[in-house]
Amino acid sequence: MPELPEVETTLQGISPHIKKQRVNKVIIRQPKLRWPIPADLPQLIEQQILTSLSRRAKYLLLHFNTGTLLIHLGMSGSIRIIAAGTVAAKHDHFELEFTHQKSIRLTDPRRFGAVLWLGKEPYQHPLLSKLGPEPLSTSLTGDYLYQKSKDKKVSIKQFIMNQVIVTGIGNIYCAEALFLAGISPTRAAGNISLKRYQILVAQIKKTLDLAIAQGGTSLRDFVGSDGKPGYFKQELSVYGRTGLPCKQCNKALTEIKQAQRTTVYCTHCQT
Ligand SMILES: [Zn+2]
């Protein structure tokens, strides 16, 4: 599933190609994504200039003078830049064609992604209005998490994956940051010291920054109709390594389920 670094890399990959360009045509081949793509989208953005692009949590936001378009990659979505008129494949559900003959195309085999019109007050939309601070912003600090965690019995894993507490930390980067901070994913959020939260926040930022930097090397993958999406394999310490030796102590890593999601960790190094 695309996580925050993939979405940020997508943003950085597509922006230079389409920013300040005029939309020529909205092409909706399959409107049934997680929610229906609004049928009046052509009237709203055709012949409008895409003034800027941004990211909030795992949502891509395309800003026009008439309002903001939200794109979410869901479980399996990806966006590429292609030449306008390139023949569409089976899962190419949505496309914005610009007047300079480039298009952005959303491919999403499982159709859990979304294309939604948020109007002129995008941050008031229910999908965005309740989100916590961005993990890479200065608003996320150890002190912030420590204050929010007081008396919380929920596990630290579920606590930092709660989008109201902090946005955009998915299963992979949560597992990595907890490992690097030496914190057990099962520990109650309210039972972690300020000092440990400071270490955890530093590791969250470091892990995400590194993933974005590694993704940056594959930006060229966003261009060309036959290139793979720019998601990247990277050196992960715990995620996907159940039973393999811990990189710090060599003991086998343990897998558990927390809120129906897999967690891999080292019972020796993470306490
Ligand atoms: Zn270990």
Side-chain angles (χ1 to χ4, degrees), residues 246 249 266 269:
C246 168
C249 73
C266 177
C269 296

Side-chain angles (χ1 to χ4, degrees), residues 252-268:
L253 296 174
T254 300
E255 179 179 311
I256 57 169
K257 288 269 183 211
Q258 291 180 289
Q260 285 85 52
R261 302 289 302 275
T262 299
T263 304
V264 183
Y265 73 115
C266 177
T267 53
H268 182 71

Side-chain angles (χ1 to χ4, degrees), residues 85-103:
T86 303
V87 176
K90 188 178 174 192
H91 303 295
D92 295 341
H93 305 312
F94 176 77
E95 191 166 324
L96 288 184
E97 188 183 292
F98 292 84
T99 54
H100 69 327
Q101 295 300 302
K102 284 183 182 177
S103 289

Side-chain angles (χ1 to χ4, degrees), residues 42 67 75 81 93 116 131 137 150 164 168 198 205 210 218 232:
M75 304 287 284
I81 300 280
H93 305 312
L116 291 176
L131 294 174
S137 74
K150 283 194 173 152
V164 177
Q198 288 167 339
K205 290 176 192 275
L210 185 67
S218 57
F232 28 94

